[in-house]
Structures are given as structure tokens and as C-alpha cells.
Amino acid sequence: MGRSCEILEDPDGKLTLYSVISENYSGQFKPVTAEIPNFGFTKSVYWVRFSAKNSTLSGINRYIEIGFPLLDRIELYTFNRNPRGEPDHLQQETTGLDFSFIFMTVKHRNFVFAVHFPAGSERIFYMRVETDDGMIFPVTFWDITTFNDKIQMENFLFGIYYGIIIAMLFYNLFLLIFTRDRNYLSYILYISFFGLFQMSMNGLAFQYLWPDHIWWAKHANPFLIGMSCLLAALFSLRFLDMPRYTPVFSRVMTGLMIAGIILSASSFFVPYSITIIAGQLLPLAMILTALPAAYLSIMRGNRAARFYLIAWITFFIGVILSTLRVMGLIPHNFLTEHGLQIGSGFEMVLLSIALADRINIMKKEKEEAQQEVISTQQKVVDSLNRSKQEIEDAHRLLSLSEEKYR
């Protein structure tokens, strides 16, 4: 419904419904120029106006979906246009992260309103949107059957993504038990927290994990971002052996690890509008540190960093798409909305391969070292045998000389 909507910015958040429908403000609504309204991080409240008409001879039911699950408060006011062309206020419904999920009329990870259109009726909608997160509000009208089909497809795709995470968890837990390599523990903790962060971003955590914990639903994102960055930095330091191969980047990564701790801790008492912006920048800084560090490690002989580098490049692309989308710098579409999931999915698989490759490299290096030791020992034995033979030859010559002398 993007280009069918009109918007009115309320910088102070003080306008009421009766203010915006009055003649003073009604003419100040401006057409939306994009399919999906996106105003980045802002303290302003936005009012949205759109209308729809049922031209059929029977009543129909529709869903209005607001396709961004991190909005704090959404108020939808429904009006019916009467025969005189004037709006009559019918109903009001409020939803968002400020309200318990269990009270939502339509149980879905996004915010959905159920609307009834009598035959030949026209509805006018005013929507008030307020949030500390990115001001993104994709508005979509859905036929109910089509919406249910969409949910099935979403569940299928999310099932693949979170199935990959669960599979990686158990696979690497198995390897941790048998190898005792601490890198696997860092990796397991990292993808666990990152998986929870993705569930929170998608609205699935609010739907399934903490539907009645409003405060935590709002503050979970910066906490989980901080923990993900902390554990990713710890994993990178160990996996790349950064103190050995890239000591300068090792100090930078240690600083970012501390920043992850600070972000997670501050998410409990610092305003969300501040921590979420920091949560957008910290992963970017960490990736921009990890990529050159991995490249230098490869150049300096650390072959295990090859898959690590490819993994973080794919993740970097996903983070860039997600960050630019939330900041309103690029359009909101399937690729930019799910780019982080796509990039992180490849990243988690590639990092798991990197760990396996690292073990193979270490095993090969160990075998080469053992072979070198065996070769060295053989050379020593050969040298001793030659020395022994030379001594025996010398003794024989000496004996022959003594007999000849007698």
C-alpha cells in the first residue's frame, strides 16, 4: 500500500486523532514516494492515512499487516465514509511491542489488524506509528486465505534457517566433546546468541519465547547484539590466533569484545534509542576488523583463515543490507529484509567448515611434524651407524697395523 498512503510527521508526538483529521492538518498529509515508508531512526511520530473500498455486492474481511515487528506502538483508527462523503469514526485498535503478544487479535510475528468491509462500503484509515527503533511501516492489505498461504511459506523458510542453526549447534557440540577444542565452544555460544537475536528481529521470539515480557521484548535486541559481538570477537581471536599472526588487529578485536560487554550491560539501563544505534554500528566495526585480520593471517601463513574470510564476507554483505535498510538509505524489500538471515546462514555453515578445515590442517601439520621428527631421528640413527662403522673400520686398521708392526 506504500504509494497509496499519505503521511504526516509529528516531531513532538503531541498531535491527537482529532487534530490530524481537522482542516488545520488534513491538508498537510503528503503522498509516500516509496512502496515501503522508511524514515530511519527518528524521534518523530508518524501519522499514515489510506483508504480502501469494497465494490462487491457482499461483505469481505481483510487483514492489514504492518510488516516490521519492532515498532513500539501502532494505533489504527477506522472510519466509514457516509453518504455525505464525511468520515464516521467506527473503531480503534492498538498494538505494538508496548503490549503483550497474548492480547493481539491476529497471532502473527508482525502486527496485523482484522478489518470488515460491508458491501459497497469505503473505509478510511488513520494510523499512528511510534517507535525507538527504525521508523519502517510496510502496509499491506491481505486476502485472509492468501495471508495464511504466506504464513506457511514464511514458516517453511524460517524452518530452513533455524534448522541450519540447530544442526550447526549439535554438530559442533559433538565435535567439542570429542576434540576438546575451545574454538567449538566459542562458536556454539556465538551462533546460539545470534540465533536468538535473529528470532527477536523477526518477531518470532516475541511470539514464541517471551510473549508476555514487554520490557525484555524491547531491550533484547541490543543485549543479544552485544553478546553476539562479544562471542564472535572471542572466536575470531582464538581461531585466527590473532596475537600471533596479527597483534595489532588482536588489540582492536579485544577492544571490540569489551565494547560488546558494555553494550549488553548498558541495554538494561541506557535508553533503547541509543543502544540500538550502537548495536547497528558495533557488528559493522567488528566485521571491518575481522576481514583484514583474516586476509593478513592468510598472507602470513595461517591457511585456516581461508574459509573464515569467505564466511565473514557473506555476513558482511548481509549486515550492510540490514543496516542501510533500517537507516532508510536503501529500499525495504525481500533481499534487504532477509539479507542478514541469508548472509548469516552462509556464514555459519562456512565457519563450521572453517573449523573442520582447521582441524584437518592441524592434523596434517602434526603428521608432517611427526614425519619430520621421524626423518630427523632416522638421520641421527644413520649418522650414528656411519660413525660406528667408521670407528669399527678404524679399529680394524689399527689392529692390522699393530700385527704388521709385530
Side-chain angles (χ1 to χ4, degrees):
M1 289 290 293
R3 290 190 171 90
S4 299
C5 296
E6 297 174 302
I7 58 164
L8 173 65
E9 184 178 3
D10 178 10
D12 300 322
K14 295 180 179 179
L15 294 180
T16 65
L17 172 66
Y18 297 103
S19 298
V20 299
I21 65 175
S22 68
E23 293 182 358
N24 293 335
Y25 289 97
S26 182
Q28 297 185 28
F29 278 82
K30 298 177 182 179
V32 176
T33 57
E35 284 296 337
I36 296 175
N38 187 344
F39 301 97
F41 290 100
T42 175
K43 293 183 178 180
S44 296
V45 170
Y46 277 82
W47 286 86
V48 190
R49 181 173 65 190
F50 53 96
S51 61
K53 184 177 182 179
N54 175 17
S55 300
T56 68
L57 299 177
S58 59
I60 57 175
N61 295 309
R62 291 289 183 266
Y63 283 156
I64 299 176
E65 179 192 20
I66 314 303
F68 188 60
L70 302 179
L71 301 172
D72 294 342
R73 186 183 184 94
I74 307 170
E75 300 171 9
L76 183 69
Y77 301 91
T78 305
F79 290 80
N80 180 53
R81 193 184 296 278
N82 62 34
R84 298 186 303 276
E86 299 171 349
D88 292 327
H89 188 195
L90 292 179
Q91 65 181 38
Q92 172 188 349
E93 190 173 352
T94 306
T95 187
L97 282 181
D98 285 346
F99 305 90
S100 174
F101 184 88
I102 61 177
F103 296 120
M104 290 186 181
T105 305
V106 180
K107 308 300 183 186
H108 187 254
R109 64 185 187 89
N110 291 328
F111 305 113
V112 182
F113 301 93
V115 181
H116 176 70
F117 290 83
S121 65
E122 182 178 0
R123 295 282 193 251
I124 303 172
F125 302 96
Y126 284 85
M127 186 171 69
R128 183 183 185 274
V129 184
E130 180 179 3
T131 189
D132 288 328
D133 212 291
M135 182 60 74
I136 305 171
F137 41 90
V139 181
T140 308
F141 260 97
W142 286 98
D143 171 79
I144 294 177
T145 301
T146 309
F147 182 77
N148 291 332
D149 292 340
K150 173 225 179 192
I151 291 176
Q152 290 184 359
M153 179 56 68
E154 277 185 346
N155 290 341
F156 173 73
L157 295 175
F158 282 131
I160 292 175
Y161 178 73
Y162 292 108
I164 290 172
I165 293 179
I166 293 171
M168 292 298 99
L169 279 173
F170 281 102
Y171 172 70
N172 288 281
L173 180 62
F174 176 80
L175 292 177
L176 170 66
I177 294 171
F178 282 91
T179 64
R180 304 291 182 180
D181 189 336
R182 291 185 300 171
N183 285 292
Y184 284 105
L185 179 60
S186 303
Y187 176 74
I188 289 168
L189 292 174
Y190 161 62
I191 63 175
S192 297
F193 276 96
F194 187 79
L196 285 173
F197 163 65
Q198 286 299 302
M199 289 191 73
S200 181
M201 282 287 292
N202 293 330
L204 294 172
F206 190 42
Q207 181 177 2
Y208 294 111
L209 300 183
W210 43 77
D212 202 28
H213 295 81
I214 298 170
W215 184 89
W216 175 242
K218 286 194 62 174
H219 291 80
N221 277 355
F223 172 80
L224 294 171
I225 292 173
M227 290 301 297
S228 297
C229 289
L230 161 65
L231 293 164
L234 181 62
F235 171 79
S236 299
L237 284 166
R238 290 176 174 175
F239 182 86
L240 295 177
D241 196 2
M242 293 177 74
R244 173 186 174 190
Y245 287 100
T246 55
V248 173
F249 283 107
S250 174
R251 290 191 288 272
V252 175
M253 191 66 79
T254 301
L256 292 175
M257 187 168 65
I258 295 171
I261 297 173
I262 295 172
L263 176 59
S264 294
S266 63
S267 66
F268 293 101
F269 56 87
V270 175
Y272 179 84
S273 58
I274 296 175
T275 56
I276 194 59
I277 293 176
Q280 296 289 325
L281 299 176
L282 182 58
L284 206 55
M286 206 203 72
I287 294 172
L288 292 176
T289 302
L291 291 178
Y295 177 77
L296 279 178
S297 292
I298 295 172
M299 294 297 100
R300 293 173 181 175
N302 186 0
R303 293 181 294 170
R306 295 171 299 170
F307 283 108
Y308 176 97
L309 179 61
I310 299 171
W312 282 104
I313 288 174
T314 61
F315 185 54
F316 176 65
I317 295 171
V319 169
I320 286 291
L321 291 175
S322 176
T323 302
L324 294 180
R325 173 185 66 92
V326 173
M327 290 182 152
L329 301 177
I330 59 175
H332 181 109
N333 52 44
F334 178 84
L335 183 60
T336 59
E337 181 182 0
H338 299 288
L340 191 57
Q341 287 88 22
I342 296 171
S344 62
F346 280 108
E347 179 227 15
M348 284 183 280
V349 172
L350 287 168
L351 284 180
S352 186
I353 294 173
L355 281 168
D357 183 61
R358 180 175 179 271
I359 288 179
N360 290 333
I361 290 173
M362 291 176 63
K363 182 179 178 181
K364 185 176 180 180
E365 289 176 347
K366 183 178 180 181
E367 291 175 350
E368 289 175 352
Q370 289 176 339
Q371 189 61 41
E372 183 68 25
V373 170
I374 293 172
S375 177
T376 302
Q377 290 176 340
Q378 186 62 46
K379 288 179 181 178
V380 171
V381 170
D382 292 341
S383 177
L384 289 173
N385 287 335
R386 285 195 300 271
S387 298
K388 181 181 178 182
Q389 186 64 42
E390 289 172 357
I391 292 172
E392 290 177 352
D393 292 341
H395 277 297
R396 282 198 298 271
L397 288 173
L398 182 61
S399 299
L400 288 173
S401 298
E402 289 177 350
E403 289 178 2
K404 186 177 180 181
Y405 179 77
R406 290 196 204 93

